[in-house]
Amino acid sequence: MPSFYVTTPIYYVNAAPHLGHAYTTVAADVLARHHRQRGEAVFFLTGTDEHGEPVADAAHAQGVEPQELADRNAERFKALAPRVGASNDFFIRTTDPQHEAKVQEVLARVRENGFVYEGTYEGWYCPRCADFKAENEIEEGNRCPIHHVELVREQEESSFFKLSAFQERLERLYAERPEWLAPRTRYNEALAFIRSGLRDVPLTRHKLTWGVKVPWDEEHVFYVWFDALLNYYSALTYAPAPVTAEPPGAANPVSPNPVPGDPNPAPPNPAPAVAGSNPAPAIDASTDLVSTFWPPSYHLIAKDILRFHAVYWPALLMAAEIELPHRLFVHGYLLMEGEKMSKSLGNVLDPFAVIERFGADALRFYLLRDVPFGQDGSVSTTAFEQRYESELANEYGNLASRTLAMVRRYRDGVLPAAPIDPALASDFEGLAEEVSALLDRAELTQALDAIWQRVRRLNRYVEERAPWTLAKDEQRAGELDEVLASLADGVRVVSLLLTPYMPASTERLLDALGAEDRTLSAARLGAGPTAPGNTVGELEPLFPKA
Ligand SMILES: [Zn+2]
């Protein structure tokens, strides 16, 4: 039974959720939903990183305990996932006692294996990064290259992690498994860092108390990055087994509650499960999630945390004798264009404002449509509105409404049982395989584009075949049947493939088409419902015009 395990970074609890968090979460969700459609066992993890100096400092400034601040802020990130329609199987917090115990256990093993020693560390430290800076990366004026704040000279007794011992093994990893880190620019960047010579890094902090206690020295806590990275592993040791018995195509197994003001709420009753149509494997609670899901299929991260994931993380796993993840994918930044302004959204692309006004599906679509996943690119409220209007409302929403309306008008709502037009069939040939292959490489934008080309093909098909003309001629009834059957089935296929991107709206459309099989194997022309007398249901506009 194939399994798929995808993670987002755990989000630092001191920040407020913003577009970047929504972006990574949505991307991971698309992969998770796609692999569930493939009938695989899937585990999708997100969560919060709660230790370290910045949280302790912020708590003290507010006169509260760090735990209280972490509890309060973690809720905002927990709420983010259902708002963007994410189907995460678990939400980890690094203050979970089970996580803390696992961190202590794994790092004690790293020490037993001979990769930890005692020493004194002195260096330039950025309190915002919670990290010491190497001499060659310090910015002018002795500042942090990321935060531009003045660095502090710090010296303390520490346990050190022998990162330098992994120089050769890391170089070999990059040589033998070039697919392990994508895109290529990030691979090159990480490899160059490794080749420049790895120095040992502090594993513990003495001055801090807000962290996981070091079992061999209770005066110390683990450096927050080691604690944080281990979440990907620890989660599988105590998370409940994923709920796999969801009805096929259920839009949002995590939060069935519609978002207030969402113009595209999910229907209150998801389609009932049909025996034999849902291949999702059953994982009972006693199953060991580590043996099912480790190593991770994909860690998705943004480029600012590349070094920790591409260098420290594999070295740490090697030191603990834990198998390495399959792939790491580094996405770019979404840059705001301040000078453009849309009427309904102002000039800042606030994910929550977009969801409030246009629904989570529209946000999900736009984030993966406009900027190729893996690259930096500009996003803006005007570009969002253009895509919404021209692609979601016109090209897709209108195609769906028209198709259902013609089946109702010309065939009393009964989907004709006619063969698929070969001219259309050839343009859909191999589409599901193409999309799967692209998503296997985390090419989320290219996969979406491949599907969208078929949405456009269907719109051209309507214009070419002009069903309204065929309907005027009784002699051409067979031809009209073929056109309507082909069109409805084409809409079904693109919607199935779009389900990971836009789960709520595609579910409504697939329900209206009576398409019960929501698996990827049904995403080919001619595999649609063929029961005689299969009638189409009602469908409110999927993407109402603003
Ligand atoms: Zn910094």
Side-chain angles (χ1 to χ4, degrees):
M1 171 62 63
S3 68
F4 183 80
Y5 175 26
V6 62
T7 68
T8 71
I10 44 173
Y11 302 126
Y12 204 57
V13 82
N14 236 16
H18 57 65
L19 192 69
H21 303 113
Y23 187 39
T24 322
T25 304
V26 166
D29 189 57
V30 170
L31 291 178
R33 287 177 186 272
H34 169 77
H35 282 270
R36 288 193 198 107
Q37 271 192 317
R38 279 156 77 156
E40 296 173 10
V42 170
F43 198 81
F44 167 17
L45 180 69
T46 187
T48 38
D49 177 7
E50 306 188 3
H51 290 128
E53 201 156 12
V55 174
D57 288 350
H60 294 146
Q62 294 177 34
V64 297
E65 287 303 308
Q67 185 68 60
E68 189 183 334
L69 183 75
D71 287 346
R72 199 195 303 151
N73 289 359
E75 283 309 311
R76 302 187 297 177
F77 285 95
K78 217 168 186 172
L80 170 76
R83 286 205 73 187
V84 299
S87 61
N88 56 300
D89 295 291
F90 190 56
F91 188 93
I92 189 173
R93 297 182 53 188
T94 55
T95 51
D96 290 343
Q98 301 97 321
H99 166 78
E100 297 191 354
K102 191 51 73 173
V103 168
Q104 291 176 327
E105 179 195 313
V106 172
L107 293 175
R109 197 191 318 157
V110 169
R111 184 163 176 263
E112 281 157 31
N113 289 347
F115 297 108
V116 175
Y117 63 91
E118 309 306 315
T120 306
Y121 192 86
E122 188 181 338
W124 293 105
Y125 181 84
C126 169
R128 300 269 300 278
C129 292
D131 189 17
F132 284 96
K133 297 285 151 188
E135 296 293 340
N136 62 4
E137 56 182 344
I138 293 172
E139 207 179 59
E140 222 184 275
N142 207 35
R143 287 168 186 275
C144 168
I146 297 163
H147 297 103
H148 315 294
V149 295
E150 234 176 291
L151 298 173
V152 191
R153 193 70 184 171
E154 291 226 22
Q155 187 190 49
E156 61 180 32
E157 300 302 304
S158 285
S159 289
F160 280 77
F161 173 57
K162 268 192 211 171
L163 182 63
S164 60
F166 295 92
Q167 170 101 24
E168 217 172 289
R169 285 179 69 185
L170 287 171
E171 286 187 31
R172 214 181 314 141
L173 164 70
Y174 278 72
E176 289 169 0
R177 287 176 47 190
E179 79 292 344
W180 121 272
L181 203 172
R184 197 68 187 177
T185 46
R186 301 300 162 209
Y187 170 97
N188 292 337
E189 193 180 324
L191 183 56
F193 177 77
I194 294 165
R195 284 185 176 150
S196 74
L198 295 178
R199 298 190 314 162
D200 296 341
V201 289
L203 176 68
T204 64
R205 298 293 319 274
H206 187 65
K207 294 198 172 91
L208 269 180
T209 52
W210 182 235
V212 178
K213 289 244 177 308
V214 175
W216 61 85
D217 182 354
E218 293 270 315
E219 298 278 279
H220 282 68
V221 295
F222 285 113
Y223 189 68
V224 66
W225 272 102
F226 290 97
D227 158 15
L229 284 165
L230 280 166
N231 92 88
Y232 302 129
Y233 182 72
S234 72
L236 295 182
T237 65
Y238 69 97
V243 182
T244 53
E246 69 180 82
N252 195 343
V254 171
S255 169
N257 305 321
V259 175
D262 184 351
N264 299 321
N269 299 309
V274 174
S277 71
N278 180 13
I283 299 170
D284 74 68
S286 62
T287 307
D288 177 1
L289 297 183
V290 175
S291 64
T292 307
F293 292 109
W294 192 269
S297 315
Y298 262 112
H299 288 311
L300 298 189
I301 62 164
K303 61 185 180 182
D304 57 333
I305 50 177
L306 175 68
R307 184 173 306 167
F308 292 101
H309 285 79
V311 183
Y312 293 23
W313 178 226
L316 181 65
L317 290 172
M318 287 170 184
E321 298 172 295
I322 297 172
E323 210 182 328
L324 301 191
H326 288 300
R327 286 162 184 261
L328 187 58
F329 190 92
V330 188
H331 69 71
Y333 289 146
L334 300 178
L335 313 163
M336 300 278 186
E337 289 184 10
E339 70 275 20
K340 291 184 185 171
M341 189 184 287
S342 86
K343 271 176 261 144
S344 60
L345 294 167
N347 62 355
V348 174
L349 196 75
D350 170 11
F352 302 108
V354 172
I355 291 169
E356 191 87 0
R357 178 83 181 73
F358 296 93
D361 279 4
L363 175 72
R364 294 166 65 101
F365 172 82
Y366 177 70
L367 290 180
L368 295 167
R369 179 77 172 141
D370 227 18
V371 176
F373 192 62
Q375 297 174 23
D376 291 344
S378 296
V379 292
S380 69
T381 51
T382 28
F384 168 82
E385 286 202 335
Q386 278 159 15
R387 293 270 187 196
Y388 182 88
E389 190 87 5
S390 67
E391 298 187 337
L392 290 180
N394 289 345
E395 291 178 353
Y396 183 61
N398 196 29
L399 172 72
S401 317
R402 267 177 118 179
T403 301
L404 293 180
M406 288 190 289
V407 172
R408 268 195 292 273
R409 191 175 316 136
Y410 304 134
R411 291 294 178 262
D412 293 327
V414 180
L415 280 172
I420 301 295
D421 188 337
L424 195 62
S426 66
D427 286 334
F428 276 69
E429 192 74 45
L431 176 60
E433 292 75 11
E434 182 188 350
V435 168
S436 294
L438 287 165
L439 291 180
D440 280 346
R441 299 196 299 271
E443 296 189 3
L444 277 70
T445 305
Q446 293 88 333
L448 179 55
D449 193 56
I451 306 164
W452 213 258
Q453 285 171 30
R454 272 57 170 211
V455 170
R456 290 180 173 160
R457 176 70 187 95
L458 291 168
N459 278 301
R460 288 199 306 277
Y461 185 71
V462 178
E463 297 308 316
E464 284 162 17
R465 300 304 305 268
W468 45 91
T469 309
L470 298 175
K472 289 178 188 149
D473 187 347
E474 270 300 310
Q475 304 283 308
R476 304 180 78 182
E479 230 179 295
L480 179 59
D481 280 345
E482 184 190 71
V483 170
L484 293 177
S486 303
L487 194 55
D489 213 44
V491 170
R492 183 188 62 83
V493 170
V494 292
S495 300
L496 264 181
L497 294 170
L498 287 171
T499 295
Y501 294 88
M502 302 191 285
S505 28
T506 51
E507 165 150 2
R508 286 168 54 209
L509 176 51
L510 290 165
D511 282 348
L513 285 169
E516 280 161 357
D517 189 345
R518 306 290 166 88
T519 66
L520 198 70
S521 58
R524 54 191 170 78
L525 274 189
T530 50
N534 195 342
T535 55
V536 299
E538 292 296 323
L539 182 71
E540 292 292 308
L542 294 176
F543 298 100
K545 294 213 178 174

